Amino acid sequence: SFLLLAGFNGQAQIDLTNEANRTIEPAYRQAESPKILDTVFPNPTATFPLLAMSYAPEIEVKPIPAATVKTVEKLPQLYNGYARVGIGSIFMPLAEVYYNNTRTRKFNYGFHGQHISSFSKIKDYAPANFDRSNFRAFGGMNEKRYDWMAEMNYNNRGLHFYGFRNENANADSIAQSFNTFNLKGQFSSHKHDSLGINWRAGFEYRHFNDKKPTIDSLQDWRGRENYFSLFGGVSFKWGNEIFGANADLKYNGYKYGIEDSLLTLVDSGIVHNNTIFSLRPYITTYSKNKRLKANIGVDITVSAAEKTRLYLYPNAEVKYSLFDDILIPYAALRGGMTQQSFKAITDINEFALSNQQLRNEHKAIEAAIGLKGTLSKRVGFNIGASFGNVKDKALFITDTVHSGGNRFAVIY
């Protein structure tokens, strides 16, 4: 050890020398070569020794019930036809026969016959017997791109003008009968491509007459009428719009007695020929995911009766579906001409006179609003109101000129 005492005076420097033993560790050389150490370490393998214990399992077999198959007849058996007969408490016989082909996707044909009559009496009144008979034959074919149908029909209605008090009245003197023979056919195309033009065309013929007088010289003095019509239409779809047009030509020839001749002072012959041609172009558009439907069109009608005239009628309708067709409000503005005929009058009131002056019903305009919808699977409703301007509407009044008050005349 040593002690150093020094005093510093200015820039003085002191050197100290000492001897000592210092140990240096020996050096050695590594014998291993360098190598790369992988960072993925292998998982240790665990071993589990078997335990010296045993367990005897128990087997329990549960019974399986026998399988059952519920068979439901998807398509019930179809019969070619049926027949029924019956009779009412007031001696009212009834009969009906129906026959058609069985289930098929292509053809449809058949026959239908119906009859009902009544031989009842009304106390203190004239005989009130009546009968109704109808026979209809039909046929058609349905194809993927077209279909056609044809139908022939015969209808007979018999009745008595019993509207007066006389139980002993002669039934033949107040008897009336109406006979209708009808023949019609139609062809329609069903093209599904977007630019395909679908069209339809058809015709209808009808002969109608009332009872023939018992006196041979008066056989012309009864109501007779021949009706013939041609109708058709075209349509095609472009985007959300459907463009189309419908047209029809209607002829009705009514004849009573002999033209320009008199049966009595108040009963003269009537001949009335009436032709109507109508063209109705339209555009139908859908919007709001097909909830909104609007139809806009016009009805161009030419009437050739006593005079030839041209009429224009609006034909527009809009409706909107709410809550998946639960509520559908709608509004419409339309008009049109209805051809009047002897058959149409007697269909409404079969006690009408046979000598009628016929006028076409002219509906200049009709506005309608309403709300329709469904309340359940079986209950629906339709509430609406309309206002129209109608000219030459057929109205019935009691006749006292050609009958004893048991028939009706028509005024317009």
Side-chain angles (χ1 to χ4, degrees):
S1 61
F2 58 88
L3 177 63
L4 176 61
L5 298 174
F8 293 93
N9 183 12
Q11 297 182 352
Q13 179 177 357
I14 298 173
D15 295 328
L16 179 62
T17 302
N18 188 24
E19 293 182 1
N21 293 326
R22 300 183 182 272
T23 303
I24 299 175
E25 294 182 358
Y28 62 91
R29 183 179 179 180
Q30 293 184 357
E32 297 180 359
S33 300
K35 59 182 180 179
I36 299 175
L37 297 179
D38 194 353
T39 57
V40 179
F41 300 97
N43 294 325
T45 302
T47 59
F48 302 94
L50 296 177
L51 300 178
M53 60 183 302
S54 61
Y55 177 77
E58 295 181 359
I59 300 176
E60 181 181 358
V61 180
K62 293 184 178 181
I64 300 175
T68 59
V69 179
K70 183 179 181 181
T71 59
V72 178
E73 189 176 0
K74 295 182 178 181
L75 297 177
Q77 182 180 358
L78 289 182
Y79 297 93
N80 290 92
Y82 66 88
R84 62 175 181 171
V85 294
I87 189 169
S89 59
I90 53 176
F91 196 56
M92 180 182 289
L94 174 147
E96 182 177 8
V97 177
Y98 183 86
Y99 177 86
N100 75 334
N101 60 317
T102 53
R103 185 179 287 110
T104 176
R105 295 183 178 181
K106 188 173 182 179
F107 297 103
N108 181 29
Y109 57 88
F111 170 81
H112 192 194
Q114 296 172 295
H115 173 81
I116 186 172
S117 55
S118 174
F119 298 92
S120 63
K121 296 182 179 180
I122 301 177
K123 186 178 180 180
D124 298 333
Y125 279 84
N129 303 349
F130 73 88
D131 62 89
R132 304 282 189 272
S133 298
N134 185 75
F135 303 95
R136 172 175 169 259
F138 58 90
M141 176 185 293
N142 296 313
E143 292 286 356
K144 185 177 181 180
R145 301 181 67 87
Y146 68 89
D147 70 76
W148 63 266
M149 60 78 62
E151 180 177 328
M152 181 174 62
N153 183 77
Y154 174 76
N155 181 273
N156 174 267
R157 292 179 293 160
L159 66 144
H160 293 80
F161 305 123
Y162 63 90
F164 61 96
R165 293 179 177 272
N166 185 357
E167 291 184 340
N168 299 319
N170 185 359
D172 293 337
S173 65
I174 57 174
Q176 175 66 290
S177 65
F178 300 106
N179 298 283
T180 306
F181 173 78
N182 183 268
L183 180 65
K184 60 182 178 181
Q186 178 175 317
F187 180 91
S188 302
S189 66
H190 306 290
K191 295 182 179 180
H192 299 286
D193 54 313
S194 59
L195 297 179
I197 298 177
N198 288 316
W199 60 277
R200 63 181 181 89
F203 75 94
E204 182 177 2
Y205 169 75
R206 182 182 69 233
H207 175 78
F208 180 77
N209 64 266
D210 64 359
K211 185 181 178 181
K212 183 186 297 186
T214 56
I215 302 176
D216 294 339
S217 60
L218 302 179
Q219 290 186 3
D220 291 332
W221 294 91
R222 58 173 179 156
R224 293 161 292 166
E225 133 180 306
N226 289 290
Y227 169 84
F228 181 77
S229 72
L230 295 173
F231 57 88
V234 295
S235 66
F236 71 95
K237 185 177 181 181
W238 183 276
N240 292 327
E241 284 72 40
I242 298 176
F243 300 85
N246 296 316
D248 52 62
L249 176 65
K250 302 177 182 179
Y251 167 79
N252 188 73
Y254 165 75
K255 187 175 182 181
Y256 172 80
I258 302 173
E259 188 176 11
D260 299 328
S261 61
L262 295 176
L263 181 62
T264 64
L265 294 177
V266 293
D267 195 359
S268 60
I270 301 173
V271 175
H272 182 80
N273 296 316
N274 181 14
T275 303
I276 295 178
F277 173 76
S278 296
L279 178 63
R280 298 179 296 277
Y282 66 89
I283 300 175
T284 303
T285 182
Y286 297 87
S287 183
K288 304 292 184 181
N289 197 19
K290 293 189 177 181
R291 293 193 302 270
L292 176 63
K293 178 183 177 181
N295 183 83
I296 301 175
V298 63
D299 186 343
I300 306 170
T301 298
V302 178
S303 174
E306 291 83 5
K307 297 181 180 180
T308 302
R309 296 179 179 178
L310 175 66
Y311 300 89
L312 294 177
Y313 302 102
N315 187 10
E317 182 181 7
V318 60
K319 59 182 181 180
Y320 190 84
S321 174
L322 298 173
F323 313 113
D324 196 16
D325 289 344
I326 295 178
L327 295 176
I328 303 177
Y330 63 89
L333 185 66
R334 50 182 173 255
M337 177 170 289
T338 303
Q339 189 177 54
Q340 192 62 271
S341 65
F342 181 43
K343 181 180 183 301
I345 290 176
T346 55
D347 285 345
I348 299 173
N349 188 345
E350 56 189 10
F351 297 97
L353 295 172
S354 299
N355 53 338
Q356 297 290 344
Q357 296 291 340
L358 302 180
R359 298 182 186 178
N360 295 328
E361 182 179 302
H362 168 54
K363 184 179 293 184
I365 192 171
E366 180 185 19
I369 59 172
L371 179 67
K372 62 182 179 179
T374 56
L375 299 178
S376 66
K377 294 182 179 180
R378 300 180 180 179
V379 180
F381 67 93
N382 189 353
I383 303 173
S386 64
F387 171 81
N389 185 345
V390 182
K391 183 180 180 181
D392 290 333
K393 180 73 174 179
L395 304 174
F396 297 95
I397 60 173
T398 302
D399 172 69
T400 57
V401 177
H402 302 88
S403 65
N406 57 337
R407 302 187 69 179
F408 292 87
V410 176
I411 61 173
Y412 296 91

